[in-house]
Amino acid sequence: MPSRPSRALRVLLFTCWFAPASGLAQSDWTEPLEPFAIGEGLYYVGTAGLAAYLFTSGDGHILIDAPLDENVDRVLGNIRALGFDPRDVRLLLASHAHFDHVGGMARMRQATGAELVLSVRDAEYVGAGRDFGLDDLAGYPPARADRTLGHHQTVRVGTWELTAHLTPGHTPGCTTWSGDVVIEGRARRFVSVCSLSVLGSYQLTGEGATYPGQGREYCASVAHLRTLAPEVFLGPHGSFYGLADKLRARRAGDALAFVEDERYDRYLDDAQRSIERRLAEQGVSGGCATLLAGEP
């Protein structure tokens, strides 16, 4: 069996598949970032470029994403630095089946003993240690889901109830998570978007589509996300929601720094334009309106 490429090579290959509009900077994927609170019981425990979110309660915790196998020790250290025991994590959730978000899931599951819960489609890829749509990459340590869930199903630990929204396109089982977090004494709806980035290798329509219906699913996912209207916008990459700016404001004393400032709508608008540009390049006129109307 061929050995897995080095992190540097994997990042280089992955970068080549991202459309320029994605705006992601892979150089900060392993850069340490001190963990911090977003709201009561909700913490950022990832690196500068790859997010991981810890939801804490007296009855156990939830962790969304285990980004990169080599980042696992850093995430575990961040959890401990906040005063929590990783063995109290009860559920492991994921945004989507790409190595930069689930590459450390197998080791994280071993370290925490937590139950792994994934969407049905992405569970196939994570269980095989495969990156959806990136066949030239050698994958990551596989992690088999303990159970799977579907659109609008919920998970609960302690006082937390998180709802799964299947928003496919970026991967077939791309999962957005929502729930309520208390900030400054008030419950506010958060949405942690999976991803709407269109990789350069993706064919969205026609016989050569990366998977059947991918273009339409991208468009339907944008439409669904527009209905959620969160007060707190999160995602697997801090660049999606202006993490650096919001963290600076938070550290300067702004307790409401992570409360939404219209970046969510701008993110969706930019994503739809990127999707529709790719559709036009691949011969679909009328963009998402055409696909969602069911026209050829």
Side-chain angles (χ1 to χ4, degrees):
M1 178 180 295
S3 61
R4 200 158 25 245
S6 67
R7 183 189 70 83
L9 179 56
R10 286 163 61 79
V11 168
L12 177 61
L13 290 170
F14 197 54
T15 302
C16 292
W17 274 299
F18 267 101
S22 66
L24 299 179
Q26 288 81 21
S27 60
D28 59 4
W29 281 6
T30 58
E31 181 183 332
L33 184 65
E34 185 177 345
F36 61 89
I38 295 170
E40 292 184 19
L42 170 54
Y43 300 90
Y44 187 101
V45 293
T47 61
L50 296 175
Y53 300 101
L54 182 70
F55 299 78
T56 65
S57 80
D59 296 316
H61 317 315
I62 301 172
L63 182 69
I64 296 181
D65 280 353
L68 295 181
D69 188 45
E70 53 264 61
N71 279 352
V72 169
D73 288 340
R74 189 160 285 139
V75 173
L76 292 171
N78 284 344
I79 293 172
R80 294 187 185 100
L82 291 168
F84 302 107
D85 187 339
R87 291 172 296 181
D88 290 331
V89 175
R90 299 288 179 255
L91 291 181
L92 296 174
L93 309 177
S95 55
H96 61 277
H98 283 149
F99 76 96
D100 50 327
H101 306 292
V102 296
M105 200 62 80
R107 201 148 66 87
M108 186 63 72
R109 186 181 181 196
Q110 183 179 30
T112 62
E115 182 181 22
L116 177 59
V117 182
L118 301 170
S119 67
V120 174
R121 294 296 307 278
D122 273 5
E124 299 171 12
Y125 290 91
V126 178
R130 292 174 52 212
D131 291 289
F132 168 75
L134 305 173
D135 292 338
D136 287 351
L137 295 185
Y140 47 86
R144 187 173 300 278
D146 295 291
R147 58 187 168 102
T148 58
L149 43 62
H151 190 52
H152 281 171
Q153 289 189 303
T154 60
V155 297
R156 296 178 180 85
V157 172
T159 55
W160 291 102
E161 178 179 278
L162 275 57
T163 299
H165 303 261
L166 297 191
T167 50
H170 189 66
T171 70
C174 214
T175 307
T176 291
W177 294 96
S178 71
D180 292 328
V181 57
V182 175
I183 299 178
E184 288 294 282
R186 183 177 133 197
R188 303 172 191 270
R189 177 53 50 96
F190 75 83
V191 169
S192 185
V193 170
C194 172
S195 179
L196 293 168
S197 300
V198 183
L199 301 192
S201 60
Y202 285 177
Q203 174 72 32
L204 302 188
T205 64
E207 293 183 2
T210 316
Y211 72 87
Q214 185 181 22
R216 188 183 190 284
E217 289 196 336
Y218 261 119
C219 293
S221 292
V222 174
H224 177 68
L225 289 169
R226 290 192 188 280
T227 71
L228 300 184
E231 292 183 80
V232 178
F233 171 30
L234 304 173
H237 293 280
S239 58
F240 287 0
Y241 58 91
L243 170 62
D245 292 341
K246 291 180 176 181
L247 184 53
R248 276 194 294 270
R250 181 59 185 261
R251 287 172 172 168
D254 182 3
L256 299 177
F258 282 83
V259 174
E260 184 46 27
D261 58 359
E262 300 183 354
R263 288 182 192 246
Y264 184 77
D265 289 337
R266 293 203 304 270
Y267 171 78
L268 295 182
D269 290 344
D270 289 345
Q272 184 164 338
R273 281 192 289 269
S274 177
I275 292 163
E276 292 186 331
R277 277 196 300 270
R278 185 64 64 84
L279 289 171
E281 292 168 0
Q282 296 176 358
V284 176
S285 60
C288 284
T290 296
L291 292 185
L292 293 178
E295 300 174 22

